[in-house]
Amino acid sequence: MTQQSAGKPSDIRAFLAENPKLRARDAADAQGIAEAQLVAASIGYGTTRIAAHPDRIIPAAEALGEVMALTRVDACVHEKVGAYGNYHRGDHAAMTLTENIDLRIFPSHWVHAFAVETETAQGVRRSLQIFDAAGDAVHKIHLRDGSHHAAWPAIVADLAITDQSDSQQVAARKPVEGAKSRADKADILRAEWAKLTDTHQFLRLCAKLKMNRLGAYRVAGAPWVRQLAPKAADTMLQAVRDAGIEVMIFVGNRGCIQIHTGKIHSLKPMGPWQNVMDPGFNLHLRLDKVAEVWAVHKPTQRGPAVSVEAFDAEGGMIFQVFGVGKEGRDSRAEWGQIVDCLSTLVEVPA
């Protein structure tokens, strides 16, 4: 795997000093480097390189009390306030399951990690930040005013590793897997889809037919999928807010999926962004990067699991939203009605 170097750490620090209000991801993009390389440049200046495995980081995070958990993809940022706990280890997949911090973790992508202290006008900001092999952020844990800051020094000392160099080699970023369809397998896909009893069986079905999620959606057709207009992503959020129903919102990258379960109360659009700004939950969605939206029905033993799923122009998933079931059901009527009312994509002839 190709390794890529950044510029001099001193030059990166100088850029950050000249642009203190620039967000880390934007600052990295402006310099043509990975975000992990940007963060590593400040080692010795408030940043410490730490063990990256979730078996080390998540138990440490539990000692910090109430924090903000952040997981993102290019077009969407998912932020939840809560306390870490109920961690379940796993070689392939691990989980954190609390009322507010609900994560699915894939340890092989937790490659580089840092404990970061940054001086701001509002005081010192502290965070644990984890990156994949390409230097892209996998998950971040931000301390809040009410977090257990007294535990921070011991946590950093315990997690610190021997290598404290301020330069970071990263691997070439793997491209997003675009839609993989097999039109010749469409009849088999539809027949097997009808036999599903659990949503987790779906990806195994796709793999067996040499498709992926988006590719399967493109060939499945009714009654299992309906392609929606891209604007349906925003319409859906507004409808969920207005209906006052609970949903589950999934946003995830290769290394972490973060889930919000609850209502949406406040939507605040700003430029291309639609923003959920609720106490304990923020979602920042780039509407202009939503290229495809699908309404999806999967049969289960508990009734149909109905979702709205958005993808970017490369075929990468942006989010999934499910209705929260009641009384042993996988969905509820109010959510189904919202999905049924979303605009179907109308293809305009060339």
Side-chain angles (χ1 to χ4, degrees):
M1 187 175 289
T2 304
Q3 298 288 310
Q4 299 178 345
S5 300
K8 292 181 180 179
S10 58
D11 293 340
I12 297 172
R13 292 193 296 269
F15 180 89
L16 290 173
E18 293 167 2
N19 300 274
K21 294 184 179 181
L22 205 57
R23 293 184 181 274
R25 185 183 176 103
D26 295 333
D29 289 345
Q31 297 175 86
I33 61 176
E35 189 179 348
Q37 294 174 313
L38 180 95
V39 175
S42 294
I43 287 177
Y45 296 85
T47 296
T48 304
R49 194 184 295 273
I50 61 174
H53 199 282
D55 286 358
R56 298 289 308 280
I57 288 180
I58 300 302
E62 293 177 4
L64 293 171
E66 185 182 86
V67 294
M68 188 269 278
L70 184 154
T71 301
R72 71 169 298 162
V73 293
D74 184 49
C76 195
V77 185
H78 191 295
E79 302 171 351
K80 284 285 289 185
V81 174
Y84 285 73
N86 195 21
Y87 177 59
H88 298 258
R89 292 174 169 84
D91 293 337
H92 169 67
M95 295 185 291
T96 289
L97 300 170
T98 70
E99 181 179 0
N100 293 314
I101 306 297
D102 189 356
L103 307 174
R104 307 295 178 269
I105 295 167
F106 305 99
S108 65
H109 296 285
W110 290 45
V111 179
H112 309 293
F114 308 88
V116 180
E117 286 192 337
T118 306
E119 293 283 352
T120 73
Q122 293 76 38
V124 178
R125 298 297 185 209
R126 298 184 172 96
S127 61
L128 301 175
Q129 303 188 17
I130 303 96
F131 300 86
D132 64 14
D136 293 329
V138 166
H139 188 61
K140 296 182 181 181
I141 302 165
H142 291 271
L143 277 68
R144 294 163 53 84
D145 290 344
S147 301
H148 299 157
H149 288 263
W152 177 260
I155 287 172
V156 175
D158 181 58
L159 293 178
I161 62 176
T162 302
D163 176 15
Q164 292 297 325
S165 61
D166 59 1
S167 61
Q168 180 65 63
Q169 295 282 322
V170 295
R173 184 179 290 116
K174 292 183 178 179
V176 173
E177 182 182 72
K180 289 171 56 180
S181 296
R182 287 286 302 273
D184 60 317
K185 301 286 187 180
D187 289 343
I188 298 174
L189 171 67
R190 287 189 283 267
E192 293 298 314
W193 195 316
K195 299 175 185 177
L196 295 176
T197 58
D198 189 282
T199 56
H200 296 96
Q201 297 167 351
F202 177 71
L203 289 182
R204 292 196 291 272
L205 171 60
C206 291
K208 183 175 74 172
L209 299 178
K210 295 185 170 24
M211 303 188 204
N212 61 11
R213 182 189 301 274
L214 181 56
Y217 293 169
R218 288 185 179 180
V219 299
W224 308 122
V225 298
R226 178 168 62 96
Q227 188 170 9
L228 308 175
K231 67 180 181 181
D234 190 27
T235 304
M236 178 270 299
L237 291 174
Q238 295 182 49
V240 168
R241 175 200 59 191
D242 295 345
I245 65 169
E246 291 188 330
V247 292
M248 298 180 72
I249 302 177
F250 294 68
V251 173
N253 50 57
R254 289 186 173 103
C256 188
I257 300 170
Q258 187 164 302
I259 306 163
H260 164 73
T261 301
K263 298 179 180 181
I264 293 173
H265 299 283
S266 177
L267 286 172
K268 296 184 178 180
M270 184 176 294
W273 295 91
Q274 177 60 281
N275 303 283
V276 178
M277 302 295 288
D278 290 341
F281 174 57
N282 288 178
L283 184 81
H284 310 289
L285 173 64
R286 276 284 299 262
L287 295 173
D288 59 332
K289 292 195 173 187
V290 176
E292 294 185 39
V293 181
W294 294 84
V296 183
H297 289 64
K298 298 188 183 80
T300 79
Q301 291 178 331
R302 299 171 300 279
V306 180
S307 61
V308 172
E309 308 185 15
F311 298 81
D312 62 25
E314 295 179 324
M317 178 173 281
I318 299 174
F319 67 70
Q320 291 178 299
V321 180
F322 289 82
V324 174
K326 293 185 71 175
E327 299 175 353
R329 307 294 290 174
D330 251 359
S331 191
R332 57 189 298 181
E334 296 95 326
W335 168 243
Q337 290 165 6
I338 287 173
V339 176
D340 288 344
C341 290
L342 296 174
S343 300
T344 299
L345 177 70
V346 178
E347 295 286 357
V348 178

